[in-house]
Structure formats: structure tokens, C-alpha cells
């Protein structure tokens, strides 16, 4: 199960803020990606050169990522992306990824450009089995 949206990411009040709600009981494992520079591999011009993202529950930040392959769990991100059918992100790309488990509730992901950059980004949310 996944959902995605491609949109322009601006600065200030024009950052991208998709939201989602988890229902039921227990926790749900999710792979959340903010893809910018890798969109160029698919012919997208004007891609966000260096996205960063922060996951929030209400106004509380839960996780943040910038440059996914520098994260401590980069190997797990690669294997999880493969398991859910997500296209591969090149090692060293400046795309952002959060792999997390969340309880039921309402969440938002704030995507912006490092250094107040702007451009098109793809935000993806995958449910991890």
C-alpha cells in the first residue's frame, strides 16, 4: 500500500506539507520518502536539489532526515524500499527518507529545500509489511 504526491516545494510558508492518518490499533511501519534530485533520472526538470523532511504528530517533531544514505539505517532503507517496490535511490543522493513505526494518529510531513532552495519533489508513503 502506498500513496504519493508530486508538487512544487517553495520556501517559508510555501513548503510542502502532506498529511496522513493511521487508524486501528497497534503500530504501522512506514517508509516515507521526499525525492528531489533523483526525479531528474525520470526526466523531471526543476527538481528540488536537496530536500529535507520532518515528520510531526501534532506540533511535535518525531523524526527528520536530510540525505538518506548518510543515515545510520541506510542499509535497512535500501532493503525496505526494495521490499515495498519503491524505485531505488542512488547512494549518495540528496533525497530524504524516514523509516519508522507509528501508532494510530494524525501526522504531517514538512518537506523543504536545504538552504532555502525550491523545486519539484515527490513525497511517497509506503506501508511496510
Amino acid at each position: 500500500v502506498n500513496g504519493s504526491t508530486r508538487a512544487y516545494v517553495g520556501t517559508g510558508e510555501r513548503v510542502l506539507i502532506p498529511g496522513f492518518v493511521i487508524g486501528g490499533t497497534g503500530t504501522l511501519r512506514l517508509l516515507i520518502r521526499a525525492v528531489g534530485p533523483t526525479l531528474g533520472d525520470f526526466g523531471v526538470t526543476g527538481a528540488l536539489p536537496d530536500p529535507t523532511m520532518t515528520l510531526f504528530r501534532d506540533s511535535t517533531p518525531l523524526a527528520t532526515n536530510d540525505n538518506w544514505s548518510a543515515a545510520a539505517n541506510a542499509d535497512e532503507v535500501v532493503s525496505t524500499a526494495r521490499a515495498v517496490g519503491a524505485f531505488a535511490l542512488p547512494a549518495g543522493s540528496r533525497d530524504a527518507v524516514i523509516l519508522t513505526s507509528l501508532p494510530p494518529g494524525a501526522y504531517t510531513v514538512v518537506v523543504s529545500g536545504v538552504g532555502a532552495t525550491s523545486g519539484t519533489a515527490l513525497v511517497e508513503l509506503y506501508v511496510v509489511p
Side-chain angles (χ1 to χ4, degrees):
V1 174
N2 79 304
S4 64
T5 189
R6 190 178 103 175
Y8 181 79
V9 177
T11 59
E13 294 180 3
R14 294 186 177 133
V15 297
L16 178 59
I17 308 176
F20 60 94
V21 175
I22 297 173
T25 59
T27 60
L28 191 61
R29 188 117 171 110
L30 297 174
L31 177 70
I32 307 166
R33 307 192 324 168
V35 181
T38 299
L39 290 178
D41 297 346
F42 298 97
V44 177
T45 58
L48 184 62
D50 190 0
T52 185
M53 70 173 162
T54 302
L55 172 66
F56 288 88
R57 181 169 187 174
D58 300 318
S59 61
T60 304
L62 303 177
T64 191
N65 183 260
D66 176 32
N67 303 334
W68 74 274
S69 61
N73 66 344
D75 290 339
E76 185 180 9
V77 166
V78 170
S79 62
T80 301
R82 190 176 302 121
V84 298
F87 61 85
L89 298 175
S93 77
R94 293 184 174 176
D95 303 294
V97 178
I98 294 173
L99 180 60
T100 189
S101 294
L102 299 172
Y107 300 89
T108 56
V109 178
V110 176
V111 179
S112 60
V114 172
T117 56
S118 58
T120 300
L122 175 68
V123 178
E124 302 174 301
L125 176 74
Y126 294 89
V127 174
V128 179

